[in-house]
Amino acid sequence: MTMTTSPLFAKRGDKSEIETGTSLQPKFDSDGLIAAVVTDFETGEVLMVGYMNAEALKRTIDTGEAWYWSRSRQEFWKKGGTSGQVQKVQEIRTDCDQDAIWLKVSVKGNGATCHVGFRSCFFRKIVKHEDGRVELIRTEAGRVYDPKDIYGNK
Amino acid sequence: MTMTTSPLFAKRGDKSEIETGTSLQPKFDSDGLIAAVVTDFETGEVLMVGYMNAEALKRTIDTGEAWYWSRSRQEFWKKGGTSGQVQKVQEIRTDCDQDAIWLKVSVKGNGATCHVGFRSCFFRKIVKHEDGRVELIRTEAGRVYDPKDIYGNK
């Protein structure tokens, strides 16, 4: 996988500086994207995984609200633009390789994150039963909202 | 980005079943990989982001210990194989699109996850100062271990 940098951020330098230094030198993949894990600032729950290009990462750092690049729609996506589920960024971190981002956020609006109505997109656990069967089991009691109320019948 | 499925898992069916159903139908990217967020089962802290191919995901589900595909080395990677920092999986989740995995783990050995010695790979926060300067600031007081003791001077 070819890794790319962006003129919006410092050019990636030596390994030691990237891994333990103080300079932000994010690594974008061959599609120009970096993975962003989003957790709830209060509960620590993982809410979603999104992808940012350099401009979306810059907007997120500059505005304190989360921006992504939608891989399916191939466009900038300010989370909450339609739903009101804006992510107020409380803290941003990066990892040792600087090829991933962790956002701790407070969710505005109805407080949910998932487009099918649940609080977290990770509302199902993967369970392997004794007979070898693998099943997804819901971990949230119910939906926070009805997606039809926000997105209509699409 | 072309998305692929794997014969190791159910073929991806209709959107509704993928998003809200009980059947595991993971989506792998054009490199055959799915992102896996790893959090500490006790503290909820995000420890790392890894990537799994279908076989690594299957091994993780089957064995209860985390397996990944190393993008840099292009090989299977059982976390902790060298370091002893084995990840005992307490829960696995997937998200609405089934294109991401969340592992809640207990870390064995010295309890650290990061190859540069810290507990979490996300040991630096991104801070934007009032003058516009962006800086990485450490969030962990110190290293859990000295990587030289495990990996030598490489």
Side-chain angles (χ1 to χ4, degrees):
Chain A
M1 191 181 284
T2 311
M3 297 296 176
T4 58
T5 53
S6 162
L8 292 176
F9 294 99
K11 191 165 161 28
R12 282 170 68 85
D14 75 276
K15 193 161 178 273
S16 167
E17 176 59 26
I18 290 169
E19 291 185 343
T20 60
T22 60
S23 163
L24 178 60
Q25 304 179 10
K27 183 162 72 173
F28 299 94
D29 70 13
S30 56
D31 293 314
L33 302 177
I34 192 168
V37 179
V38 182
T39 63
D40 184 288
F41 181 64
E42 295 293 339
T43 66
E45 183 182 31
V46 178
L47 300 176
M48 59 173 273
V49 172
Y51 291 85
M52 297 175 173
N53 60 10
E55 175 64 28
L57 176 56
K58 185 170 186 304
R59 287 186 195 181
T60 301
I61 294 171
D62 288 349
T63 67
E65 295 182 338
W67 281 83
Y68 302 93
W69 178 258
S70 168
R71 297 182 299 173
S72 54
R73 299 191 302 274
Q74 289 286 303
E75 64 183 22
F76 284 105
W77 164 41
K78 183 185 170 184
K79 176 68 180 169
T82 302
S83 66
Q85 297 158 358
V86 169
Q87 295 174 343
K88 174 78 181 157
V89 177
Q90 304 289 352
E91 189 174 299
I92 315 183
R93 294 199 190 182
T94 192
D95 68 344
C96 45
D97 299 326
Q98 298 202 35
D99 64 355
I101 298 291
W102 172 15
L103 300 182
K104 299 183 185 182
V105 307
S106 302
V107 180
K108 303 297 181 186
N110 60 25
T113 291
C114 186
H115 76 290
V116 302
F118 293 94
R119 196 175 64 244
S120 165
C121 292
F122 291 88
F123 62 89
R124 292 171 297 181
K125 59 182 175 183
I126 302 171
V127 174
K128 183 170 182 173
H129 296 287
E130 286 189 2
D131 63 6
R133 198 166 42 89
V134 172
E135 187 184 17
L136 301 183
I137 295 178
R138 289 200 189 166
T139 58
E140 294 190 22
R143 286 178 165 82
V144 175
Y145 71 103
D146 184 343
K148 288 197 188 77
D149 294 342
I150 289 178
Y151 302 106
N153 284 300
K154 69 176 183 181
Chain B
M1 191 182 284
T2 312
M3 297 295 176
T4 57
T5 52
S6 162
L8 292 176
F9 295 99
K11 192 164 158 31
R12 282 170 70 83
D14 75 277
K15 193 160 176 275
S16 167
E17 175 59 26
I18 289 169
E19 291 185 342
T20 60
T22 59
S23 162
L24 178 60
Q25 304 180 11
K27 182 162 72 173
F28 299 94
D29 70 12
S30 57
D31 294 312
L33 302 176
I34 191 168
V37 179
V38 183
T39 63
D40 184 290
F41 181 65
E42 296 292 338
T43 67
E45 182 182 33
V46 177
L47 300 176
M48 58 174 273
V49 172
Y51 291 85
M52 296 175 174
N53 60 9
E55 175 64 28
L57 176 57
K58 185 169 187 303
R59 288 186 193 181
T60 301
I61 295 171
D62 288 348
T63 67
E65 295 182 338
W67 280 83
Y68 302 94
W69 178 256
S70 168
R71 297 181 301 172
S72 54
R73 298 191 304 272
Q74 290 285 303
E75 63 183 22
F76 284 105
W77 163 41
K78 183 184 172 184
K79 176 68 180 169
T82 302
S83 66
Q85 296 158 359
V86 169
Q87 295 175 343
K88 174 79 182 157
V89 177
Q90 303 289 353
E91 190 174 300
I92 315 184
R93 294 197 190 185
T94 191
D95 68 344
C96 44
D97 299 326
Q98 298 202 35
D99 64 355
I101 297 291
W102 172 14
L103 300 182
K104 299 183 185 181
V105 307
S106 302
V107 179
K108 303 298 179 185
N110 59 26
T113 292
C114 186
H115 76 289
V116 301
F118 293 94
R119 195 176 64 245
S120 164
C121 292
F122 292 88
F123 61 89
R124 292 171 298 180
K125 59 181 175 184
I126 301 172
V127 174
K128 183 170 182 173
H129 296 288
E130 287 189 2
D131 63 6
R133 198 166 42 89
V134 172
E135 186 183 17
L136 301 184
I137 295 178
R138 289 200 189 167
T139 58
E140 294 189 23
R143 286 178 165 82
V144 176
Y145 70 102
D146 184 342
K148 288 196 187 78
D149 294 342
I150 289 178
Y151 302 107
N153 283 301
K154 67 176 183 182

